[in-house]
PDB file of all heavy atoms in Angstrom:
ATOM      1  N   TYR E 218     100.552 101.151 101.635  1.00 95.00           N
ATOM      2  CA  TYR E 218      99.496 102.146 101.764  1.00 95.00           C
ATOM      3  C   TYR E 218      99.363 102.382 103.198  1.00 95.00           C
ATOM      4  O   TYR E 218      99.799 101.601 104.112  1.00 95.00           O
ATOM      5  CB  TYR E 218      98.147 101.568 101.193  1.00 95.00           C
ATOM      6  CG  TYR E 218      97.523 100.611 102.055  1.00 95.00           C
ATOM      7  CD1 TYR E 218      96.509 100.844 102.924  1.00 95.00           C
ATOM      8  CD2 TYR E 218      97.899  99.131 101.922  1.00 95.00           C
ATOM      9  CE1 TYR E 218      95.811  99.925 103.742  1.00 95.00           C
ATOM     10  CE2 TYR E 218      97.310  98.236 102.815  1.00 95.00           C
ATOM     11  CZ  TYR E 218      96.337  98.530 103.632  1.00 95.00           C
ATOM     12  OH  TYR E 218      95.742  97.566 104.301  1.00 95.00           O
ATOM     13  N   PHE E 219      98.687 103.565 103.574  1.00 96.00           N
ATOM     14  CA  PHE E 219      98.498 103.836 104.978  1.00 96.00           C
ATOM     15  C   PHE E 219      97.065 103.291 105.395  1.00 96.00           C
ATOM     16  O   PHE E 219      96.012 103.552 104.706  1.00 96.00           O
ATOM     17  CB  PHE E 219      98.381 105.296 105.243  1.00 96.00           C
ATOM     18  CG  PHE E 219      99.793 106.033 105.612  1.00 96.00           C
ATOM     19  CD1 PHE E 219     100.424 106.655 104.539  1.00 96.00           C
ATOM     20  CD2 PHE E 219     100.112 105.923 106.870  1.00 96.00           C
ATOM     21  CE1 PHE E 219     101.660 107.161 104.934  1.00 96.00           C
ATOM     22  CE2 PHE E 219     101.372 106.526 107.245  1.00 96.00           C
ATOM     23  CZ  PHE E 219     102.087 107.109 106.178  1.00 96.00           C
ATOM     24  N   SER E 220      97.069 102.488 106.403  1.00 95.00           N
ATOM     25  CA  SER E 220      95.713 101.920 106.876  1.00 95.00           C
ATOM     26  C   SER E 220      95.459 102.601 108.006  1.00 95.00           C
ATOM     27  O   SER E 220      96.024 103.692 108.533  1.00 95.00           O
ATOM     28  CB  SER E 220      95.893 100.387 107.219  1.00 95.00           C
ATOM     29  OG  SER E 220      94.803  99.770 107.470  1.00 95.00           O
ATOM     30  N   SER E 221      94.176 102.330 108.722  1.00 94.00           N
ATOM     31  CA  SER E 221      93.774 103.016 109.997  1.00 94.00           C
ATOM     32  C   SER E 221      94.508 102.363 111.101  1.00 94.00           C
ATOM     33  O   SER E 221      94.455 101.222 111.433  1.00 94.00           O
ATOM     34  CB  SER E 221      92.351 102.807 110.099  1.00 94.00           C
ATOM     35  OG  SER E 221      91.865 103.408 111.351  1.00 94.00           O
ATOM     36  N   HIS E 222      95.206 103.210 111.887  1.00 96.00           N
ATOM     37  CA  HIS E 222      95.915 102.951 113.199  1.00 96.00           C
ATOM     38  C   HIS E 222      94.988 102.930 114.381  1.00 96.00           C
ATOM     39  O   HIS E 222      95.524 102.740 115.510  1.00 96.00           O
ATOM     40  CB  HIS E 222      97.194 103.656 113.231  1.00 96.00           C
ATOM     41  CG  HIS E 222      96.881 105.142 113.591  1.00 96.00           C
ATOM     42  ND1 HIS E 222      96.541 105.946 112.514  1.00 96.00           N
ATOM     43  CD2 HIS E 222      96.998 105.905 114.667  1.00 96.00           C
ATOM     44  CE1 HIS E 222      96.505 107.186 112.919  1.00 96.00           C
ATOM     45  NE2 HIS E 222      96.703 107.135 114.212  1.00 96.00           N
ATOM     46  N   THR E 223      93.751 103.559 114.163  1.00 95.00           N
ATOM     47  CA  THR E 223      92.953 103.705 115.304  1.00 95.00           C
ATOM     48  C   THR E 223      91.970 102.599 115.432  1.00 95.00           C
ATOM     49  O   THR E 223      91.410 102.446 116.675  1.00 95.00           O
ATOM     50  CB  THR E 223      92.141 105.092 115.142  1.00 95.00           C
ATOM     51  OG1 THR E 223      91.443 105.116 113.813  1.00 95.00           O
ATOM     52  CG2 THR E 223      92.993 106.366 115.222  1.00 95.00           C
ATOM     53  N   ASN E 224      91.522 101.875 114.506  1.00 95.00           N
ATOM     54  CA  ASN E 224      90.510 100.792 114.528  1.00 95.00           C
ATOM     55  C   ASN E 224      91.209  99.438 114.707  1.00 95.00           C
ATOM     56  O   ASN E 224      91.521  98.856 113.730  1.00 95.00           O
ATOM     57  CB  ASN E 224      89.560 100.807 113.382  1.00 95.00           C
ATOM     58  CG  ASN E 224      88.721 102.037 113.304  1.00 95.00           C
ATOM     59  OD1 ASN E 224      88.241 102.593 114.315  1.00 95.00           O
ATOM     60  ND2 ASN E 224      88.506 102.609 112.134  1.00 95.00           N
ATOM     61  N   LEU E 225      91.613  99.192 115.963  1.00 97.00           N
ATOM     62  CA  LEU E 225      92.529  98.005 116.123  1.00 97.00           C
ATOM     63  C   LEU E 225      91.787  97.124 117.212  1.00 97.00           C
ATOM     64  O   LEU E 225      91.250  97.424 118.252  1.00 97.00           O
ATOM     65  CB  LEU E 225      93.793  98.385 116.573  1.00 97.00           C
ATOM     66  CG  LEU E 225      94.837  99.008 115.618  1.00 97.00           C
ATOM     67  CD1 LEU E 225      95.979  99.592 116.292  1.00 97.00           C
ATOM     68  CD2 LEU E 225      95.193  98.256 114.554  1.00 97.00           C
ATOM     69  N   VAL E 226      91.975  95.835 117.012  1.00 98.00           N
ATOM     70  CA  VAL E 226      91.600  94.866 117.971  1.00 98.00           C
ATOM     71  C   VAL E 226      92.800  93.941 118.290  1.00 98.00           C
ATOM     72  O   VAL E 226      93.752  93.904 117.519  1.00 98.00           O
ATOM     73  CB  VAL E 226      90.459  93.902 117.403  1.00 98.00           C
ATOM     74  CG1 VAL E 226      89.169  94.624 117.320  1.00 98.00           C
ATOM     75  CG2 VAL E 226      90.856  93.188 116.239  1.00 98.00           C
ATOM     76  N   THR E 227      92.855  93.422 119.427  1.00 98.00           N
ATOM     77  CA  THR E 227      93.890  92.510 119.812  1.00 98.00           C
ATOM     78  C   THR E 227      93.438  91.130 120.102  1.00 98.00           C
ATOM     79  O   THR E 227      92.351  90.790 119.934  1.00 98.00           O
ATOM     80  CB  THR E 227      94.708  93.265 120.905  1.00 98.00           C
ATOM     81  OG1 THR E 227      95.992  92.480 121.022  1.00 98.00           O
ATOM     82  CG2 THR E 227      94.019  93.191 122.277  1.00 98.00           C
ATOM     83  N   ASP E 228      94.266  90.328 120.773  1.00 97.00           N
ATOM     84  CA  ASP E 228      93.995  88.961 120.997  1.00 97.00           C
ATOM     85  C   ASP E 228      92.761  88.730 121.840  1.00 97.00           C
ATOM     86  O   ASP E 228      92.652  89.396 122.834  1.00 97.00           O
ATOM     87  CB  ASP E 228      95.192  88.287 121.602  1.00 97.00           C
ATOM     88  CG  ASP E 228      95.256  86.797 121.539  1.00 97.00           C
ATOM     89  OD1 ASP E 228      95.162  86.265 120.411  1.00 97.00           O
ATOM     90  OD2 ASP E 228      95.400  86.056 122.636  1.00 97.00           O
ATOM     91  N   GLY E 229      91.931  87.819 121.295  1.00 96.00           N
ATOM     92  CA  GLY E 229      90.701  87.668 122.106  1.00 96.00           C
ATOM     93  C   GLY E 229      89.483  88.351 121.822  1.00 96.00           C
ATOM     94  O   GLY E 229      88.328  88.216 122.335  1.00 96.00           O
ATOM     95  N   GLU E 230      89.715  89.614 121.099  1.00 97.00           N
ATOM     96  CA  GLU E 230      88.596  90.360 120.844  1.00 97.00           C
ATOM     97  C   GLU E 230      87.845  90.110 119.590  1.00 97.00           C
ATOM     98  O   GLU E 230      88.386  89.542 118.683  1.00 97.00           O
ATOM     99  CB  GLU E 230      89.143  91.953 120.728  1.00 97.00           C
ATOM    100  CG  GLU E 230      89.682  92.383 122.092  1.00 97.00           C
ATOM    101  CD  GLU E 230      90.073  93.806 121.953  1.00 97.00           C
ATOM    102  OE1 GLU E 230      90.599  94.257 120.885  1.00 97.00           O
ATOM    103  OE2 GLU E 230      89.939  94.619 122.979  1.00 97.00           O
ATOM    104  N   GLU E 231      86.422  90.482 119.589  1.00 97.00           N
ATOM    105  CA  GLU E 231      85.662  90.252 118.406  1.00 97.00           C
ATOM    106  C   GLU E 231      86.015  91.201 117.198  1.00 97.00           C
ATOM    107  O   GLU E 231      86.271  92.387 117.398  1.00 97.00           O
ATOM    108  CB  GLU E 231      84.197  90.325 118.769  1.00 97.00           C
ATOM    109  CG  GLU E 231      83.640  89.125 119.507  1.00 97.00           C
ATOM    110  CD  GLU E 231      82.280  89.191 119.783  1.00 97.00           C
ATOM    111  OE1 GLU E 231      81.533  90.317 119.579  1.00 97.00           O
ATOM    112  OE2 GLU E 231      81.505  88.184 120.002  1.00 97.00           O
ATOM    113  N   VAL E 232      85.749  90.776 116.046  1.00 98.00           N
ATOM    114  CA  VAL E 232      85.912  91.480 114.807  1.00 98.00           C
ATOM    115  C   VAL E 232      84.497  91.668 114.251  1.00 98.00           C
ATOM    116  O   VAL E 232      83.917  90.683 113.888  1.00 98.00           O
ATOM    117  CB  VAL E 232      86.963  90.921 113.741  1.00 98.00           C
ATOM    118  CG1 VAL E 232      86.675  91.630 112.408  1.00 98.00           C
ATOM    119  CG2 VAL E 232      88.228  90.887 114.383  1.00 98.00           C
ATOM    120  N   ALA E 233      84.092  92.852 114.124  1.00 97.00           N
ATOM    121  CA  ALA E 233      82.643  93.200 113.624  1.00 97.00           C
ATOM    122  C   ALA E 233      82.728  93.166 112.086  1.00 97.00           C
ATOM    123  O   ALA E 233      83.563  93.916 111.410  1.00 97.00           O
ATOM    124  CB  ALA E 233      82.185  94.537 114.125  1.00 97.00           C
ATOM    125  N   TRP E 234      81.965  92.363 111.616  1.00 97.00           N
ATOM    126  CA  TRP E 234      81.877  92.264 109.987  1.00 97.00           C
ATOM    127  C   TRP E 234      81.387  93.574 109.493  1.00 97.00           C
ATOM    128  O   TRP E 234      80.162  93.999 109.988  1.00 97.00           O
ATOM    129  CB  TRP E 234      80.950  91.032 109.686  1.00 97.00           C
ATOM    130  CG  TRP E 234      80.968  90.605 108.227  1.00 97.00           C
ATOM    131  CD1 TRP E 234      80.674  91.523 107.049  1.00 97.00           C
ATOM    132  CD2 TRP E 234      81.331  89.276 107.806  1.00 97.00           C
ATOM    133  NE1 TRP E 234      80.862  90.601 106.026  1.00 97.00           N
ATOM    134  CE2 TRP E 234      81.233  89.441 106.312  1.00 97.00           C
ATOM    135  CE3 TRP E 234      81.668  88.159 108.403  1.00 97.00           C
ATOM    136  CZ2 TRP E 234      81.388  88.254 105.572  1.00 97.00           C
ATOM    137  CZ3 TRP E 234      82.066  87.108 107.593  1.00 97.00           C
ATOM    138  CH2 TRP E 234      81.846  87.149 106.184  1.00 97.00           C
ATOM    139  N   PRO E 235      82.003  94.220 108.514  1.00 97.00           N
ATOM    140  CA  PRO E 235      81.462  95.498 107.926  1.00 97.00           C
ATOM    141  C   PRO E 235      80.231  95.266 107.327  1.00 97.00           C
ATOM    142  O   PRO E 235      80.055  94.327 106.542  1.00 97.00           O
ATOM    143  CB  PRO E 235      82.748  95.884 107.020  1.00 97.00           C
ATOM    144  CG  PRO E 235      83.396  94.698 106.633  1.00 97.00           C
ATOM    145  CD  PRO E 235      83.402  93.744 107.950  1.00 97.00           C
ATOM    146  N   SER E 236      79.190  96.209 107.514  1.00 96.00           N
ATOM    147  CA  SER E 236      77.914  96.018 107.042  1.00 96.00           C
ATOM    148  C   SER E 236      77.856  96.083 105.519  1.00 96.00           C
ATOM    149  O   SER E 236      76.868  95.610 104.818  1.00 96.00           O
ATOM    150  CB  SER E 236      77.017  97.015 107.628  1.00 96.00           C
ATOM    151  OG  SER E 236      77.475  98.421 107.367  1.00 96.00           O
ATOM    152  N   TYR E 237      78.731  96.833 104.814  1.00 96.00           N
ATOM    153  CA  TYR E 237      78.709  96.937 103.489  1.00 96.00           C
ATOM    154  C   TYR E 237      79.644  95.862 102.593  1.00 96.00           C
ATOM    155  O   TYR E 237      79.615  96.069 101.395  1.00 96.00           O
ATOM    156  CB  TYR E 237      79.348  98.330 103.115  1.00 96.00           C
ATOM    157  CG  TYR E 237      80.762  98.604 103.735  1.00 96.00           C
ATOM    158  CD1 TYR E 237      81.844  98.109 103.202  1.00 96.00           C
ATOM    159  CD2 TYR E 237      80.609  99.352 104.982  1.00 96.00           C
ATOM    160  CE1 TYR E 237      83.037  98.300 103.882  1.00 96.00           C
ATOM    161  CE2 TYR E 237      81.851  99.571 105.603  1.00 96.00           C
ATOM    162  CZ  TYR E 237      83.155  99.081 105.111  1.00 96.00           C
ATOM    163  OH  TYR E 237      84.279  99.241 105.790  1.00 96.00           O
ATOM    164  N   SER E 238      79.867  94.846 103.258  1.00 96.00           N
ATOM    165  CA  SER E 238      80.630  93.829 102.521  1.00 96.00           C
ATOM    166  C   SER E 238      80.072  92.445 102.771  1.00 96.00           C
ATOM    167  O   SER E 238      79.520  91.968 103.862  1.00 96.00           O
ATOM    168  CB  SER E 238      82.119  93.800 103.025  1.00 96.00           C
ATOM    169  OG  SER E 238      82.821  92.753 102.562  1.00 96.00           O
ATOM    170  N   ASP E 239      80.198  91.591 101.722  1.00 96.00           N
ATOM    171  CA  ASP E 239      79.822  90.093 101.730  1.00 96.00           C
ATOM    172  C   ASP E 239      81.028  89.237 101.938  1.00 96.00           C
ATOM    173  O   ASP E 239      80.896  88.056 102.248  1.00 96.00           O
ATOM    174  CB  ASP E 239      78.963  89.770 100.625  1.00 96.00           C
ATOM    175  CG  ASP E 239      77.635  90.448 100.601  1.00 96.00           C
ATOM    176  OD1 ASP E 239      77.061  90.553 101.638  1.00 96.00           O
ATOM    177  OD2 ASP E 239      77.131  90.892  99.540  1.00 96.00           O
ATOM    178  N   ASP E 240      82.266  89.738 101.456  1.00 97.00           N
ATOM    179  CA  ASP E 240      83.328  88.910 101.350  1.00 97.00           C
ATOM    180  C   ASP E 240      84.494  89.463 102.247  1.00 97.00           C
ATOM    181  O   ASP E 240      85.275  90.327 101.888  1.00 97.00           O
ATOM    182  CB  ASP E 240      83.953  88.904  99.927  1.00 97.00           C
ATOM    183  CG  ASP E 240      82.958  88.207  98.943  1.00 97.00           C
ATOM    184  OD1 ASP E 240      81.962  87.541  99.471  1.00 97.00           O
ATOM    185  OD2 ASP E 240      83.060  88.376  97.724  1.00 97.00           O
ATOM    186  N   LEU E 241      84.520  88.898 103.633  1.00 97.00           N
ATOM    187  CA  LEU E 241      85.526  89.391 104.437  1.00 97.00           C
ATOM    188  C   LEU E 241      86.668  88.499 104.434  1.00 97.00           C
ATOM    189  O   LEU E 241      86.599  87.246 104.609  1.00 97.00           O
ATOM    190  CB  LEU E 241      84.820  89.311 105.929  1.00 97.00           C
ATOM    191  CG  LEU E 241      85.859  89.782 107.027  1.00 97.00           C
ATOM    192  CD1 LEU E 241      86.285  91.287 106.865  1.00 97.00           C
ATOM    193  CD2 LEU E 241      85.119  89.664 108.398  1.00 97.00           C
ATOM    194  N   ASP E 242      87.892  89.062 104.301  1.00 98.00           N
ATOM    195  CA  ASP E 242      89.095  88.235 104.101  1.00 98.00           C
ATOM    196  C   ASP E 242      90.099  88.595 105.232  1.00 98.00           C
ATOM    197  O   ASP E 242      89.957  89.589 105.886  1.00 98.00           O
ATOM    198  CB  ASP E 242      89.665  88.569 102.784  1.00 98.00           C
ATOM    199  CG  ASP E 242      90.774  87.548 102.310  1.00 98.00           C
ATOM    200  OD1 ASP E 242      90.951  86.650 103.150  1.00 98.00           O
ATOM    201  OD2 ASP E 242      91.310  87.539 101.158  1.00 98.00           O
ATOM    202  N   TYR E 243      91.005  87.756 105.477  1.00 98.00           N
ATOM    203  CA  TYR E 243      92.098  87.898 106.460  1.00 98.00           C
ATOM    204  C   TYR E 243      93.342  87.966 105.769  1.00 98.00           C
ATOM    205  O   TYR E 243      93.579  87.512 104.622  1.00 98.00           O
ATOM    206  CB  TYR E 243      92.038  86.764 107.447  1.00 98.00           C
ATOM    207  CG  TYR E 243      91.957  85.508 106.740  1.00 98.00           C
ATOM    208  CD1 TYR E 243      93.028  84.745 106.417  1.00 98.00           C
ATOM    209  CD2 TYR E 243      90.755  84.821 106.557  1.00 98.00           C
ATOM    210  CE1 TYR E 243      93.050  83.467 105.714  1.00 98.00           C
ATOM    211  CE2 TYR E 243      90.669  83.635 105.885  1.00 98.00           C
ATOM    212  CZ  TYR E 243      91.760  83.023 105.389  1.00 98.00           C
ATOM    213  OH  TYR E 243      91.671  81.851 104.752  1.00 98.00           O
ATOM    214  N   GLU E 244      94.403  88.499 106.356  1.00 98.00           N
ATOM    215  CA  GLU E 244      95.770  88.513 105.787  1.00 98.00           C
ATOM    216  C   GLU E 244      96.734  88.279 106.852  1.00 98.00           C
ATOM    217  O   GLU E 244      96.931  89.097 107.771  1.00 98.00           O
ATOM    218  CB  GLU E 244      95.890  89.833 104.980  1.00 98.00           C
ATOM    219  CG  GLU E 244      95.011  89.945 103.876  1.00 98.00           C
ATOM    220  CD  GLU E 244      95.436  91.124 103.002  1.00 98.00           C
ATOM    221  OE1 GLU E 244      96.559  91.057 102.387  1.00 98.00           O
ATOM    222  OE2 GLU E 244      94.551  92.148 102.837  1.00 98.00           O
ATOM    223  N   LEU E 245      97.512  87.308 106.728  1.00 98.00           N
ATOM    224  CA  LEU E 245      98.536  86.826 107.658  1.00 98.00           C
ATOM    225  C   LEU E 245      99.917  87.692 107.513  1.00 98.00           C
ATOM    226  O   LEU E 245     100.543  87.545 106.466  1.00 98.00           O
ATOM    227  CB  LEU E 245      98.882  85.314 107.585  1.00 98.00           C
ATOM    228  CG  LEU E 245     100.196  84.807 108.313  1.00 98.00           C
ATOM    229  CD1 LEU E 245     100.063  84.970 109.771  1.00 98.00           C
ATOM    230  CD2 LEU E 245     100.209  83.331 108.010  1.00 98.00           C
ATOM    231  N   GLU E 246     100.253  88.497 108.451  1.00 98.00           N
ATOM    232  CA  GLU E 246     101.405  89.370 108.230  1.00 98.00           C
ATOM    233  C   GLU E 246     102.195  89.437 109.524  1.00 98.00           C
ATOM    234  O   GLU E 246     101.687  89.370 110.637  1.00 98.00           O
ATOM    235  CB  GLU E 246     100.910  90.851 107.869  1.00 98.00           C
ATOM    236  CG  GLU E 246     100.053  90.879 106.683  1.00 98.00           C
ATOM    237  CD  GLU E 246      99.941  92.395 106.164  1.00 98.00           C
ATOM    238  OE1 GLU E 246     100.738  93.078 106.349  1.00 98.00           O
ATOM    239  OE2 GLU E 246      98.855  92.526 105.436  1.00 98.00           O
ATOM    240  N   LEU E 247     103.519  89.705 109.364  1.00 98.00           N
ATOM    241  CA  LEU E 247     104.486  89.989 110.264  1.00 98.00           C
ATOM    242  C   LEU E 247     104.552  91.709 110.281  1.00 98.00           C
ATOM    243  O   LEU E 247     104.662  92.302 109.207  1.00 98.00           O
ATOM    244  CB  LEU E 247     105.928  89.408 110.011  1.00 98.00           C
ATOM    245  CG  LEU E 247     106.895  89.796 110.937  1.00 98.00           C
ATOM    246  CD1 LEU E 247     106.683  89.323 112.302  1.00 98.00           C
ATOM    247  CD2 LEU E 247     108.402  89.245 110.429  1.00 98.00           C
ATOM    248  N   ALA E 248     104.648  92.218 111.519  1.00 98.00           N
ATOM    249  CA  ALA E 248     104.696  93.687 111.528  1.00 98.00           C
ATOM    250  C   ALA E 248     105.719  94.055 112.570  1.00 98.00           C
ATOM    251  O   ALA E 248     106.102  93.308 113.402  1.00 98.00           O
ATOM    252  CB  ALA E 248     103.496  94.255 111.874  1.00 98.00           C
ATOM    253  N   PHE E 249     106.321  95.288 112.466  1.00 98.00           N
ATOM    254  CA  PHE E 249     107.215  95.750 113.446  1.00 98.00           C
ATOM    255  C   PHE E 249     106.964  97.164 113.727  1.00 98.00           C
ATOM    256  O   PHE E 249     106.167  97.932 113.076  1.00 98.00           O
ATOM    257  CB  PHE E 249     108.712  95.616 112.995  1.00 98.00           C
ATOM    258  CG  PHE E 249     109.042  96.504 111.812  1.00 98.00           C
ATOM    259  CD1 PHE E 249     109.461  97.790 111.964  1.00 98.00           C
ATOM    260  CD2 PHE E 249     109.060  95.944 110.352  1.00 98.00           C
ATOM    261  CE1 PHE E 249     109.840  98.574 110.890  1.00 98.00           C
ATOM    262  CE2 PHE E 249     109.422  96.704 109.374  1.00 98.00           C
ATOM    263  CZ  PHE E 249     109.756  98.099 109.582  1.00 98.00           C
ATOM    264  N   VAL E 250     107.336  97.559 115.023  1.00 98.00           N
ATOM    265  CA  VAL E 250     107.269  98.942 115.511  1.00 98.00           C
ATOM    266  C   VAL E 250     108.599  99.612 115.557  1.00 98.00           C
ATOM    267  O   VAL E 250     109.553  99.153 116.024  1.00 98.00           O
ATOM    268  CB  VAL E 250     106.412  99.005 116.774  1.00 98.00           C
ATOM    269  CG1 VAL E 250     107.135  98.194 117.933  1.00 98.00           C
ATOM    270  CG2 VAL E 250     106.208 100.536 117.129  1.00 98.00           C
ATOM    271  N   LEU E 251     108.651 100.955 115.190  1.00 98.00           N
ATOM    272  CA  LEU E 251     109.822 101.736 115.381  1.00 98.00           C
ATOM    273  C   LEU E 251     109.900 102.180 116.883  1.00 98.00           C
ATOM    274  O   LEU E 251     108.960 102.579 117.490  1.00 98.00           O
ATOM    275  CB  LEU E 251     109.833 102.888 114.541  1.00 98.00           C
ATOM    276  CG  LEU E 251     109.941 102.709 113.106  1.00 98.00           C
ATOM    277  CD1 LEU E 251     109.865 103.999 112.263  1.00 98.00           C
ATOM    278  CD2 LEU E 251     111.088 101.818 112.561  1.00 98.00           C
ATOM    279  N   SER E 252     111.189 102.112 117.372  1.00 98.00           N
ATOM    280  CA  SER E 252     111.398 102.688 118.677  1.00 98.00           C
ATOM    281  C   SER E 252     112.408 103.860 118.693  1.00 98.00           C
ATOM    282  O   SER E 252     112.738 104.362 119.740  1.00 98.00           O
ATOM    283  CB  SER E 252     112.054 101.484 119.567  1.00 98.00           C
ATOM    284  OG  SER E 252     113.184 100.975 118.995  1.00 98.00           O
ATOM    285  N   LYS E 253     112.862 104.222 117.503  1.00 98.00           N
ATOM    286  CA  LYS E 253     113.762 105.394 117.323  1.00 98.00           C
ATOM    287  C   LYS E 253     113.195 106.108 116.102  1.00 98.00           C
ATOM    288  O   LYS E 253     112.783 105.610 115.188  1.00 98.00           O
ATOM    289  CB  LYS E 253     115.260 105.015 117.065  1.00 98.00           C
ATOM    290  CG  LYS E 253     115.836 104.144 118.279  1.00 98.00           C
ATOM    291  CD  LYS E 253     117.339 103.772 117.958  1.00 98.00           C
ATOM    292  CE  LYS E 253     117.951 103.039 119.022  1.00 98.00           C
ATOM    293  NZ  LYS E 253     119.278 102.587 118.722  1.00 98.00           N
ATOM    294  N   PRO E 254     113.546 107.348 116.141  1.00 98.00           N
ATOM    295  CA  PRO E 254     113.157 108.317 114.977  1.00 98.00           C
ATOM    296  C   PRO E 254     114.172 108.006 113.719  1.00 98.00           C
ATOM    297  O   PRO E 254     115.186 107.542 113.912  1.00 98.00           O
ATOM    298  CB  PRO E 254     113.280 109.724 115.404  1.00 98.00           C
ATOM    299  CG  PRO E 254     114.270 109.588 116.522  1.00 98.00           C
ATOM    300  CD  PRO E 254     114.117 108.289 117.248  1.00 98.00           C
ATOM    301  N   LEU E 255     113.647 108.202 112.586  1.00 98.00           N
ATOM    302  CA  LEU E 255     114.422 108.052 111.401  1.00 98.00           C
ATOM    303  C   LEU E 255     114.209 109.198 110.415  1.00 98.00           C
ATOM    304  O   LEU E 255     113.199 109.763 110.316  1.00 98.00           O
ATOM    305  CB  LEU E 255     114.241 106.775 110.667  1.00 98.00           C
ATOM    306  CG  LEU E 255     114.566 105.288 111.319  1.00 98.00           C
ATOM    307  CD1 LEU E 255     114.046 104.277 110.558  1.00 98.00           C
ATOM    308  CD2 LEU E 255     116.091 105.374 111.596  1.00 98.00           C
ATOM    309  N   TYR E 256     115.370 109.586 109.758  1.00 98.00           N
ATOM    310  CA  TYR E 256     115.251 110.564 108.685  1.00 98.00           C
ATOM    311  C   TYR E 256     116.489 110.343 107.794  1.00 98.00           C
ATOM    312  O   TYR E 256     117.621 110.418 108.250  1.00 98.00           O
ATOM    313  CB  TYR E 256     115.160 111.934 109.281  1.00 98.00           C
ATOM    314  CG  TYR E 256     114.996 113.026 108.117  1.00 98.00           C
ATOM    315  CD1 TYR E 256     113.792 113.146 107.684  1.00 98.00           C
ATOM    316  CD2 TYR E 256     116.030 113.901 107.849  1.00 98.00           C
ATOM    317  CE1 TYR E 256     113.596 114.204 106.635  1.00 98.00           C
ATOM    318  CE2 TYR E 256     115.885 114.888 106.887  1.00 98.00           C
ATOM    319  CZ  TYR E 256     114.622 115.005 106.270  1.00 98.00           C
ATOM    320  OH  TYR E 256     114.354 116.027 105.334  1.00 98.00           O
ATOM    321  N   ASN E 257     116.181 110.126 106.483  1.00 98.00           N
ATOM    322  CA  ASN E 257     117.294 109.670 105.637  1.00 98.00           C
ATOM    323  C   ASN E 257     118.269 108.719 106.248  1.00 98.00           C
ATOM    324  O   ASN E 257     119.462 108.853 106.263  1.00 98.00           O
ATOM    325  CB  ASN E 257     118.091 111.001 105.124  1.00 98.00           C
ATOM    326  CG  ASN E 257     117.271 112.011 104.267  1.00 98.00           C
ATOM    327  OD1 ASN E 257     116.439 111.536 103.532  1.00 98.00           O
ATOM    328  ND2 ASN E 257     117.423 113.287 104.551  1.00 98.00           N
ATOM    329  N   ALA E 258     117.703 107.675 106.557  1.00 98.00           N
ATOM    330  CA  ALA E 258     118.331 106.671 107.444  1.00 98.00           C
ATOM    331  C   ALA E 258     119.346 105.959 106.570  1.00 98.00           C
ATOM    332  O   ALA E 258     119.145 105.610 105.340  1.00 98.00           O
ATOM    333  CB  ALA E 258     117.400 105.672 108.067  1.00 98.00           C
ATOM    334  N   THR E 259     120.549 105.476 107.122  1.00 98.00           N
ATOM    335  CA  THR E 259     121.417 104.458 106.608  1.00 98.00           C
ATOM    336  C   THR E 259     120.832 103.046 106.927  1.00 98.00           C
ATOM    337  O   THR E 259     119.983 102.930 107.748  1.00 98.00           O
ATOM    338  CB  THR E 259     122.765 104.531 107.102  1.00 98.00           C
ATOM    339  OG1 THR E 259     122.656 104.147 108.606  1.00 98.00           O
ATOM    340  CG2 THR E 259     123.308 105.988 107.036  1.00 98.00           C
TER     341      THR E 259
END
């Protein structure tokens, strides 16, 4: 799915608990960034 790429925090920053939720969860993930364009890639 597409998530929000604009609302980001990094190391050491606070995470504001969303006002409409009582159950805040975390998810441990590995991510990568593209450094080249792709189209119909091999």
Side-chain angles (χ1 to χ4, degrees):
Y218 75 96
F219 271 100
S220 190
S221 173
H222 64 286
T223 53
N224 295 322
L225 293 171
V226 294
T227 193
D228 198 54
E230 295 184 326
E231 283 189 344
V232 170
W234 193 298
S236 60
Y237 47 81
S238 174
D239 293 320
D240 295 344
L241 180 60
D242 201 353
Y243 47 88
E244 298 191 60
L245 167 60
E246 302 192 26
L247 179 65
F249 66 86
V250 61
L251 294 178
S252 58
K253 297 178 182 179
L255 291 175
Y256 185 69
N257 290 326
T259 66

